[in-house]
């Protein structure tokens, strides 16, 4: 069974799937606006910590506690409503895009020539139409939401940290480009290994499907051992590729954690000196510690999302490869006008009516050979 390796797409195939987003750009805009706004609100919550420590912990301005609580709860409620709308839009985007891709792929498969089905197993085709479409639907909904949340939060706390203390803010912000550079270095390596894993998994799915649907033929020809050997070969190849991909991912995540931990250590050291000199209040230092931990968590979350995009690049490439496949036998324009195609019965009915009106006589103007 000939399951060709799909052509690599630039930028992990993200520009390619943008064509599926155009009909739902309003939903995508809602995701970006509302989840971004909710994330910016999230970045402001530690400021309440500054006010509480610098005032209430020292027994000052205790009369403002009711207003403080009301403002905090009010902001929580606003954020909850905003995040709820953004999450609903993400659900809608996943369903809409998933539905569109499956419909487009299904209709395209119906128009392909029989030779395509001779070269590709049922499991392979089923995986393209169902599994790959599901992966892409998740990318354009939940992964998009995660990216918006992480980027907007990092942007928000960067502005706040620079205003609170420029030196400490710069120290934490410097960790971001270093981690982006590490991500760029590992992107290609992890994408190649994940591509191999997905391709082997696709072949295994196809072999398993053939073993079930063609069990009668396999037993008749007594080729059970041959099928088992081929299945073992593919599973071993997938195992080795998955181990290599896991090693790259482990080293990648370890590098990110090291950079984040190093930045946090510098903030602890430098912030302690500034606080001991009386230049910075304890509340402000505690918020910097909060932001230092948060920036590490959000960068790791962003890295995890990028890893998912890398792993899903092959799904996009396989859908693109399927849709780029042209049928070897193409219906003539005359036949399509008179009889339509598999998805258009109206033209076929009209053609039958014309034939009936002619008393069943053949139409000499129709070139059947075409």
């Amino acid at each position: 069974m000939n399951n060709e390796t799909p052509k690599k797409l630039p930028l992990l195939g993200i520009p390619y799937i943008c064509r599926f987003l155009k009909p739902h750009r309003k939903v995508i805009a809602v995701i970006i606006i509302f989840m971004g706004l909710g994330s910016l609100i999230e970045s402001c919550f530690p400021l309440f910590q500054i006010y509480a420590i610098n005032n209430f912990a020292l027994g000052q301005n205790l009369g403002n506690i009711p207003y403080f609580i009301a403002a905090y709860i009010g902001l929580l409620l606003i954020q909850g409503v905003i995040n709820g709308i953004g999450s609903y839009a993400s659900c809608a985007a996943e369903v809409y895009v998933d539905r569109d891709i499956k419909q487009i792929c299904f209709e395209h498969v119906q128009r392909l020539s029989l030779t395509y089905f001779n070269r590709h197993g049922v499991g392979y085709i089923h995986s393209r139409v169902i599994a790959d479409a599901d992966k892409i639907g998740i990318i354009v909904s939940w992964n998009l939401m995660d990216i918006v949340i992480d980027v907007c939060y990092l942007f928000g706390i960067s502005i706040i940290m620079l205003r609170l203390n420029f030196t400490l803010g710069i120290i934490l912000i410097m960790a971001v480009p270093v981690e982006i550079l590490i991500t760029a270095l590992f992107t290609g390596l992890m994408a190649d290994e994940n591509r191999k894993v997905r391709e082997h998994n696709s072949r295994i799915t196809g072999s398993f499907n053939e073993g079930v649907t063609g069990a009668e033929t396999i037993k008749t020809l007594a080729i059970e051992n041959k099928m088992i050997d081929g299945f073992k070969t593919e599973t071993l190849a997938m195992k080795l590729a998955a181990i290599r991909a896991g090693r790259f991912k482990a080293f990648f995540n370890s590098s990110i954690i090291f950079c984040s931990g190093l930045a946090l250590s510098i903030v602890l050291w430098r912030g302690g000196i500034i606080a001991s000199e009386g230049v910075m209040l304890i509340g402000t230092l505690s918020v910097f510690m909060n932001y230092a931990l948060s920036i590490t968590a959000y960068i790791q979350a962003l890295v995890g999302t990028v890893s998912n995009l890398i792993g899903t690049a092959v799904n996009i490439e396989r859908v693109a490869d399927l849709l780029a496949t042209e049928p070897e036998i193409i219906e003539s324009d005359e036949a399509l006008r008179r009889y339509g195609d598999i998805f258009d019965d109206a033209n076929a009915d009209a053609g039958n009516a014309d034939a009936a009106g002619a008393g069943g006589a053949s139409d000499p103007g129709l070139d059947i050979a075409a």
Side-chain angles (χ1 to χ4, degrees):
M1 198 63 63
N2 184 17
N3 295 331
E4 299 91 346
T5 300
K7 180 182 178 182
K8 294 183 180 181
L9 296 176
L11 299 176
L12 303 178
I14 301 301
Y16 180 83
I17 64 175
C18 286
R19 66 185 65 187
F20 301 113
L21 305 183
K22 290 182 179 179
H24 314 294
R25 51 185 175 271
K26 292 182 180 179
V27 178
I28 300 300
V30 170
I31 296 175
I32 295 174
I33 293 173
F34 279 82
M35 298 313 297
L37 183 58
S39 185
L40 290 175
I41 293 176
E42 178 70 23
S43 66
C44 295
F45 278 115
L47 296 179
F48 285 89
Q49 180 180 339
I50 293 180
Y51 187 86
I53 294 177
N54 291 340
N55 291 273
F56 303 149
L58 300 177
Q60 301 174 1
N61 301 322
L62 297 181
N64 294 333
I65 290 181
Y67 302 104
F68 177 88
I69 296 175
Y72 191 85
I73 294 177
L75 199 60
L76 279 176
L77 292 176
I78 294 173
Q79 185 193 33
V81 172
I82 291 175
N83 287 342
I85 296 174
S87 297
Y88 178 82
S90 294
C91 291
E94 180 183 8
V95 173
Y96 294 155
V97 174
D98 191 9
R99 176 202 62 191
D100 291 352
I101 295 177
K102 287 179 179 177
Q103 181 176 353
I104 292 172
C105 290
F106 177 79
E107 293 182 0
H108 186 75
V109 167
Q110 302 306 308
R111 293 186 173 94
L112 295 178
S113 305
L114 293 178
T115 52
Y116 180 83
F117 301 94
N118 292 332
R119 295 195 306 268
H120 300 83
V122 176
Y124 182 87
I125 300 174
H126 182 271
S127 181
R128 299 295 73 71
V129 178
I130 302 299
D132 291 340
D134 289 340
K135 289 285 187 180
I136 296 175
I138 293 175
I139 284 177
V140 301
S141 56
W142 301 109
N143 284 354
L144 172 62
M145 184 185 73
D146 292 337
I147 291 175
V148 171
I149 291 174
D150 297 337
V151 171
C152 289
Y153 183 84
L154 292 174
F155 175 78
I157 66 173
S158 297
I159 299 299
I160 294 173
M161 288 188 301
L162 290 175
R163 290 186 62 86
L164 291 177
N165 188 284
F166 187 81
T167 302
L168 294 182
I170 287 295
I171 292 174
L172 285 176
I173 293 174
M174 284 179 60
V176 177
V178 174
E179 293 173 1
I180 292 176
L181 178 60
I182 295 175
T183 302
L185 293 176
F186 279 91
T187 295
L189 296 174
M190 291 193 296
D192 290 339
E193 294 303 325
N194 279 285
R195 186 177 292 107
K196 294 176 183 178
V197 171
R198 298 297 175 87
E199 283 302 314
H200 286 304
N201 182 67
S202 177
R203 294 189 180 97
I204 290 172
T205 303
S207 298
F208 186 82
N209 185 279
E210 292 173 25
V212 174
T213 58
E216 183 177 351
T217 302
I218 293 172
K219 291 181 179 295
T220 301
L221 299 176
I223 56 174
E224 293 94 332
N225 292 334
K226 180 180 178 181
M227 295 295 295
I228 292 174
D229 291 340
F231 193 82
K232 288 182 177 180
T233 300
E234 285 295 340
T235 53
L236 177 60
M238 179 178 174
K239 173 186 175 182
L240 296 177
I243 291 175
R244 289 193 297 269
R247 288 172 179 170
F248 283 127
K249 186 174 182 179
F251 191 78
F252 172 57
N253 290 336
S254 299
S255 301
I256 295 297
I257 294 174
F258 173 78
C259 291
S260 301
L262 181 61
L264 177 59
S265 301
I266 295 175
V267 168
L268 278 171
W269 167 67
R270 185 59 186 168
I273 295 176
I274 296 176
S276 65
E277 295 174 350
V279 179
M280 178 186 294
L281 295 175
I282 298 299
T284 304
L285 178 60
S286 67
V287 168
F288 258 98
M289 298 309 305
N290 188 309
Y291 279 141
L293 295 174
S294 297
I295 198 172
T296 300
Y298 274 84
I299 288 177
Q300 290 177 359
L302 184 60
V303 167
T305 303
V306 173
S307 298
N308 291 335
L309 292 177
I310 294 172
T312 315
V314 67
N315 299 99
I316 302 174
E317 292 168 356
R318 292 191 300 199
V319 168
D321 181 69
L322 171 63
L323 296 179
T325 303
E326 297 291 341
E328 298 180 7
I329 300 176
I330 302 176
E331 298 287 351
S332 67
D333 294 337
E334 178 68 17
L336 291 175
R337 282 195 299 270
R338 284 183 173 269
Y339 302 104
D341 57 21
I342 189 173
F343 299 105
D344 188 358
D345 294 333
N347 289 339
D349 293 340
N352 292 335
D354 292 342
S362 59
D363 186 354
L366 177 61
D367 184 7
I368 298 178

